[in-house]
Amino acid sequence: MKKPTRAPQAAVAVAEPPKPRGRPRSFDREAALDAAMQVFWEKGFEGASINDLTAAMGVNPPSLYAAFGDKESLFLATIEHYAASRSDQVCPDHPTAKKAIEAYLRFKADILTGSGHPRGCMLMVAFFTAANASPRLQQVLAMKRAQAREFLKERIKRGLREGDVPAGTDAEELADFYTAIVGGLAQQARDGATHRSLLATVERALTLFPEP
Amino acid sequence: MKKPTRAPQAAVAVAEPPKPRGRPRSFDREAALDAAMQVFWEKGFEGASINDLTAAMGVNPPSLYAAFGDKESLFLATIEHYAASRSDQVCPDHPTAKKAIEAYLRFKADILTGSGHPRGCMLMVAFFTAANASPRLQQVLAMKRAQAREFLKERIKRGLREGDVPAGTDAEELADFYTAIVGGLAQQARDGATHRSLLATVERALTLFPEP
DNA sequence: CTAATTCTGTAGTGGTCGATACGGAACGGT
DNA sequence: ACCGTTCCGTATCGACCACTACAGAATTAG
């Protein structure tokens, strides 16, 4: 992607933008994206109107459309923003599958009841509020859900290879179980459950993780 | 509510309707309600338009409004129809709390993946698609959710009294856990999970039901 | 029969939806 | 200074939303 040729005087700054020519944008794109994420997180995809979004972002409709495209593109951008800042933050360097999944569940419980943003999981809200959306959007959301399940499954499989998960364990089935736990936590968090209540369910669910 | 006085000639038929006077309704109210339920179940409250509903019910808008009131009233009627025909069908005569909850979970798994209606739990779809709805509607939905949790909690408490649940068991916490399981099952079913997969999760979740 | 009543279908109502046309403002290049 | 470019704010656009006015059809009461 990088063309080493043609670098006129930019000897120092590599990522320097080539100075856009027209009138500069009067708002912070990342801040506006974060505001849009909060609206979608709270009201869902179909439940959030352009009016809601522009009000929260402090931007007029033409600026929104110029910066992000249509409503669906903006939503996809907020999904990536959400995944990058929340969903994909699990560090993978836990010694055993059980510890990795414990960390994953605790991390989820933290986010689901965290302050400074709406309750529950944005991807789950999106899932249930995109029934009339385009197949493209539904496909992206389905992929995100499948990724979460895949993360659990692959970590269990690695535990099987490394011996910290007893042989004969059904990785698919165990991943399904903990995926269900995460889904249940997300729903209860949306319903107003406390962080403490979620952690209790996490603890209980972890007690039946198979050990050698 | 009943006035024993003034019963002219209705000696035999007690529930006989007093023969309405105007033009008779040209559609079956229960069938229309069931069709509306399917639409709301699939698309959610905000996602289902009056157009979708009238098309599925085979009825024109004025007939819909005359028979059910506004959209929210129709939705509340479908919620009751759903609860009466699906959610409230658990027979309570199981000898132990574990068996009762096992039956409850298996029954949920059956409904969530049943044929002849959309996947997943209508109440959960309603929950996530009523963010902009009236407080009255949100309150009704919250009550329905609380009832499900209460059913589990009370059955566990009864098990504690009758001795089939070991003393010291935290009924609140255990009920929260199985409520999360049900929520997770509902989400996975909506996502296309098989009945078999759901049953596997149910089996796994039941293995950590405390026994004396 | 006529009158009263209740439902049905047509054809809309005002309001909000997502998305835009347009003219002026703010910038860099020359 | 002047021009091309890009963004901003106003003021919409047609489409769809939940909902209904109205007139005629179907029934019962008398």
Side-chain angles (χ1 to χ4, degrees), chain A residues 134-146:
Chain A
S134 76
R136 149 96 173 137
L137 173 53
Q138 303 203 22
Q139 193 178 332
V140 170
L141 292 173
M143 206 187 61
K144 291 283 175 191
R145 266 173 277 134

Side-chain angles (χ1 to χ4, degrees), chain A residues 126-204:
Chain A
F127 178 34
F128 282 95
T129 57
N132 285 345
S134 76
R136 149 96 173 137
L137 173 53
Q138 303 203 22
Q139 193 178 332
V140 170
L141 292 173
M143 206 187 61
K144 291 283 175 191
R145 266 173 277 134
Q147 276 176 5
R149 183 181 175 279
E150 209 65 15
F151 164 77
L152 293 173
K153 197 181 78 180
E154 288 306 317
R155 192 58 189 84
I156 293 166
K157 280 188 175 175
R158 182 183 146 196
L160 277 164
R161 287 195 304 272
E162 297 179 355
D164 57 276
V165 176
T169 300
D170 189 330
E172 300 266 354
E173 207 177 288
L174 197 57
D176 280 338
F177 174 76
Y178 284 107
T179 303
I181 292 290
V182 174
L185 294 179
Q187 188 250 318
Q188 290 185 317
R190 186 78 171 174
D191 206 357
T194 63
H195 186 228
R196 175 190 165 81
S197 163
L198 263 51
L199 279 185
T201 293
V202 167
E203 293 297 324
R204 193 175 291 269

Side-chain angles (χ1 to χ4, degrees), chain B residues 6 17 33 40 81 87 100 119 140 143 147 158 160 172 192 209:
Chain B
R6 195 179 58 82
L33 198 57
F40 281 128
H81 184 68
S87 197
R119 290 297 196 96
V140 170
M143 206 186 60
Q147 276 176 4
R158 182 182 146 196
L160 276 165
E172 301 264 354
F209 195 96

